[in-house]
Each structure stands twice: as C-alpha cells, then as structure tokens.
Amino acid sequence: MTLVAADYQKVFQDKIAALQEEGRYRVFADLRRLAGRFPKAVNRVGAHEKDVTVWCSNDYLGMSQHPVVRRAMHDTLDTTGAGAGGTRNISGNTTYHVALEEELASLHGKDAALVFTSAYVANDATLSTLAKLLPAAVIFSDAKNHASMIEGIRRGGGEKRIWRHNDLHHLECQLKEYPLSTPKIIAFESIYSMDGTISNIGAVCDLAKKYGALTYLDEVHAVGMYGDGGAGMASFLGVADRVDIVNGTLAKAYGVMGGYIAASRDCVDAIRSYAPGFIFSTSLSPVLAAGALASVQYLRKHDLERALHQERAETVKHRLKTAGLPVMDNPSHIVPVSVTNPVHCKAIADRLLEQYGIYIQPINYPTVPRGTERLRITPAPHHSNQDIDDLVTALSALFAECPLGEFDRGLVEDPARPTVTGPGLQYPFRFARA
C-alpha cells in the first residue's frame, strides 16, 4: 500500500476558495494614517495612492492624534527606548505600567487594575482563569458577547449557559436553576459594538446580588466615552460600584494599544498570579503605556471630545435616516447600516472606496450572524459637515443603484434588542458631568 502525504497547500487553497465563493473573504485596505489630519488617510493600491476619509475607525475620539498623547510617547521613547524587554515578571515591569494601572483602578473606583497587551487577551485570559480558580462555577454569557469572551469561557472548560441578548427574564430563569451556593459569573458587555445596543447593567447587578453571582462587564466600547471622566457606561448609569470586574481597552477611545481589567485587589492579584496569557506575554511597550496613561488622564479632565463625538454620531444617524437609508436603530454612538448579504455588502464598500474615497469596511460573518451583514459607521469629532454630506451623498447613490431587494427579505428584527431602561438611557448622549 502506497501512502500519499497530505496536500497541505490544497487544503489551505480550498478553505480560502470557500470564503471567496461565499462572498466573505476579507481584503485589508492598505492605509497610511496622516498625523494631525484624522480621519484622513492615504489608501495604496499597487503603485497608486489616493486620499480617503475613514468612517470605520475605533479610534473614536481621535486620541491617537492628540498632541498630549504623541508627546508622552515621544518623551518616553527618548527616555526608555522602544520595548519592555520581557514579561512583567522578568524585567518588563516599569513605572509607566504601574502608573497606568493605578490610574485605571482610580478611573473605575476599584482597588486595582491589570494591563494586558490587548482587551482580547484580557478577556480570554481572565475568563478562562476565573473558570479554573472557581472550578464549580457556571458562567452565564450574553448571546452577543465578543469572540474574546466566548473563547475565554470555552478555554476555561467549566459549565456555561448562553442567555438571549439583553433578555433578563431568560437570564433569571437560568440563574434560578442553580443553588445559591453554586459559584456564578455573569459575563456581558455594556455596549455591543456591532448593533450598538446597551445592556441594563443595574438590572443585571440586581440579579447577580439575588443569586450570588460575580459580574464581569466588558466596557471596551464605552470607556473614555461615557460616564464620569470617561469611566464607562456603568458609571454613566450610576452603577459602577456594583460591577465586580471591568474589562476595558486602551486601543479605541484612548487611541493607543492594550487592554485591562479592574477589580478588587484580591481578584486582580489572583489573575496576575495564575493567568498564562498574562504571565507568559511580553509586557506592553512602556512607550504605549505612557501614551495610554496620558490619554486616560486627559479624558478624565476634559469633556469636549466626548461632547463633539456624540453630536457627530447623532447628526450622522439623523442625516442617514432622513435620506431613507436602513440605519439599525440603537441608543449608542454606533451607526450600523443594514445590507444583509455579504456579496452586496462588499460591493458597496468597494465602490465607496474606489469611487468616492470613503473607507468603510464591510462587516460579515463570523463577526455578525449570516443575513445581518452591514456597514458599521463610526463618526468621530473630526468628521466635518462636508465629510457627512459626502457620506450621505455616496451611500444614497449606491443604495439607489443597488437596492437591497431580495437581500433584505430574510432580516428578522430582534425584539429584545433596544428594550433597556434606566437612568439616562432615554438620553444616551447626556453626560454624568457638566
């Protein structure tokens, strides 16, 4: 019998071909951001370059461009050099990391914080480690939680229950199936980045108290942007002190890189001491830590960027809705425009870039469920009225030329999506501070 070696390249080629046939093969735009000109960038295609306006960046407030942040990073680079040189345990712990963690703990009103290389790693490492530290624990996860939370829960290997998105009745039905003595963790997000929905954090905390659960809240799309000094949606709703563990990012509203958790001193120390994703990862560069620290400190003292950002988000939503475009309604700053077909979604995004110089990345499966493909627009304080005019004109023209037609017939409205109540939720763009 003759044995034939596996054709590895053929497997890879077939898998890529399947993505291309389905219409969800991802192509990365080759962008060169322009310091001081956000949201403008240069898009390179082969030997050609053209100016574009970016409408899908998670650098929500443009803080990556802010002079305070850039100056802090330049000064630290000149002082310390580029890299950390090791894990936090082996030479990679610097005064910048310590100061950043102290600032983040203070921001969230917690005893301590722990910085990771990304919020993905922070979620994955923390949730998987919690499951190992509490081997009898059941984790209750919102159905629309981020992939990093799902992966962390999966790797933890413990029992998990999935509750329907923002459906607190369903969550309580699951919680009451277990004795009060059973350790429980409720894992959810404050703002869900693809739909823009907001969770009823206070009501989840009520259930956690009633059934003896820890709360684990991902505030990635809220920190820096809502609440007192940018402390997040839990702060905005006045319930931050009731959340046990907060996950946040330094790469979105703060404009740099990295992620973190903030919690009790004992909880943070346990994750620091047991999480492989923290222990064995090279520490975040002190240059990045210094830039993130400067950004957090600045946004704790200044509301202007937040106010401008929310005004731009409201304006874009209103203009797109007035133009008759299928904006998915929500109470946050996220502006999703429904397309519901991957091929159609990519075609619109490609033409926006090629014909109009507008960059919006198509959002397809597995980021969102099949049949709910969309363009996810993220207005920034720096988008001008002319930028908005250009966006509305371009989208109106393309949707007129390429009507959704048969592609939107299968779109099902989620009845649980926007039904959240609580202090300030009727006016999501109001701030906790004057």
Side-chain angles (χ1 to χ4, degrees):
M1 180 178 178
T2 303
L3 297 178
V4 179
D7 188 345
Y8 301 110
Q9 302 311 312
K10 179 67 163 55
V11 173
F12 302 148
Q13 291 165 5
D14 288 347
K15 292 295 185 183
I16 293 300
L19 290 178
Q20 292 170 332
E21 184 176 353
E22 193 175 333
R24 60 184 184 92
Y25 177 72
R26 301 182 181 209
V27 178
F28 296 159
D30 185 345
L31 298 175
R32 185 173 73 252
R33 302 180 72 184
L34 303 171
R37 292 186 56 199
F38 183 79
K40 305 302 180 182
V42 173
N43 174 226
R44 186 177 67 180
V45 180
H48 302 286
E49 294 186 342
K50 65 182 294 186
D51 290 343
V52 298
T53 302
V54 179
W55 274 101
C56 58
S57 175
N58 283 339
D59 185 5
Y60 290 129
L61 303 179
M63 288 302 292
S64 69
Q65 311 283 309
H66 200 284
V68 167
V69 175
R70 291 162 57 192
R71 183 165 56 250
M73 296 180 75
H74 276 293
D75 291 346
T76 306
L77 177 64
D78 292 339
T79 301
T80 71
T87 65
R88 289 287 292 276
N89 186 51
I90 304 176
S91 82
N93 190 55
T94 73
T95 55
Y96 303 97
H97 297 87
V98 174
L100 176 58
E101 288 172 345
E102 290 175 349
E103 189 73 25
L104 292 169
S106 173
L107 174 70
H108 292 288
K110 303 300 182 188
D111 297 335
L114 191 66
V115 171
F116 295 77
T117 52
S118 74
Y120 186 107
V121 174
N123 270 334
D124 184 5
T126 303
L127 285 166
S128 60
T129 301
L130 284 172
K132 300 289 176 58
L133 296 174
L134 302 166
V138 181
I139 299 183
F140 299 83
S141 177
D142 186 287
K144 291 193 175 182
N145 276 344
H146 189 264
S148 59
M149 301 175 76
I150 295 169
E151 182 64 13
I153 293 167
R154 184 194 67 79
R155 288 201 315 106
E159 184 178 356
K160 65 178 183 294
R161 301 293 300 273
I162 311 301
W163 46 290
R164 289 188 295 269
H165 177 53
N166 272 355
D167 188 336
L168 300 184
H169 174 71
H170 189 220
L171 172 60
E172 183 166 21
C173 287
Q174 293 183 346
L175 286 166
K176 65 174 55 173
E177 294 177 19
Y178 299 85
L180 188 63
S181 59
T182 299
K184 308 171 189 71
I185 302 167
I186 303 174
F188 63 117
E189 299 181 41
S190 61
I191 298 179
Y192 288 81
S193 64
M194 291 299 132
D195 291 355
T197 49
I198 297 175
S199 60
N200 193 333
I201 303 169
V204 174
C205 291
D206 289 342
L207 291 177
K209 182 177 180 180
K210 182 177 180 180
Y211 293 99
L214 283 173
T215 49
Y216 184 98
L217 180 64
D218 182 313
E219 287 261 42
V220 160
H221 293 273
V223 291
M225 302 171 62
Y226 296 86
D228 188 14
M233 187 55 67
S235 169
F236 178 78
L237 298 175
V239 295
D241 60 323
R242 303 181 62 198
V243 175
D244 295 303
I245 306 170
V246 175
N247 168 276
T249 185
L250 304 167
K252 293 182 171 59
Y254 293 123
V256 189
M257 182 181 175
Y260 64 90
I261 60 166
S264 70
R265 192 168 304 281
D266 289 338
C267 177
V268 168
D269 199 19
I271 300 302
R272 181 190 70 87
S273 302
Y274 281 92
F278 175 81
I279 295 170
F280 299 105
S281 288
T282 296
S283 177
L284 198 69
S285 163
V287 177
L288 296 170
L293 174 61
S295 187
V296 173
Q297 290 174 332
Y298 176 87
L299 288 174
R300 289 189 75 178
K301 298 175 182 176
H302 300 86
D303 285 327
L304 178 60
E305 285 77 9
R306 280 189 287 276
L308 290 173
H309 174 261
Q310 301 293 2
E311 182 277 324
R312 294 285 83 180
E314 279 195 290
T315 298
V316 170
K317 281 186 180 182
H318 174 73
R319 291 287 307 279
L320 293 177
K321 288 178 182 179
T322 300
L325 290 159
V327 177
M328 299 168 62
D329 198 23
N330 65 64
S332 74
H333 60 278
I334 308 295
V335 187
V337 177
S338 177
V339 181
T340 76
N341 175 275
V343 176
H344 198 188
C345 194
K346 186 176 186 307
I348 292 176
D350 287 347
R351 291 184 64 182
L352 278 171
L353 187 59
E354 294 162 7
Q355 294 179 220
Y356 296 94
I358 292 174
Y359 173 53
I360 306 174
Q361 187 70 13
I363 305 296
N364 297 328
Y365 177 84
T367 306
V368 295
R370 288 183 174 90
T372 67
E373 290 80 10
R374 68 202 62 178
L375 300 172
R376 178 181 177 272
I377 297 169
T378 53
H382 308 81
H383 282 112
S384 67
N385 290 335
Q386 185 62 56
D387 291 333
I388 296 174
D389 290 343
D390 293 342
L391 174 69
V392 174
T393 298
L395 284 175
S396 297
L398 290 176
F399 272 77
E401 294 173 24
C402 311
L404 295 182
E406 63 185 32
F407 295 134
D408 66 349
R409 291 178 186 168
L411 184 63
V412 177
E413 183 70 17
D414 180 356
R417 187 173 58 195
T419 55
V420 286
T421 58
L425 275 180
Q426 300 91 333
Y427 305 98
F429 302 127
R430 185 178 294 165
F431 295 112
R433 291 197 297 163

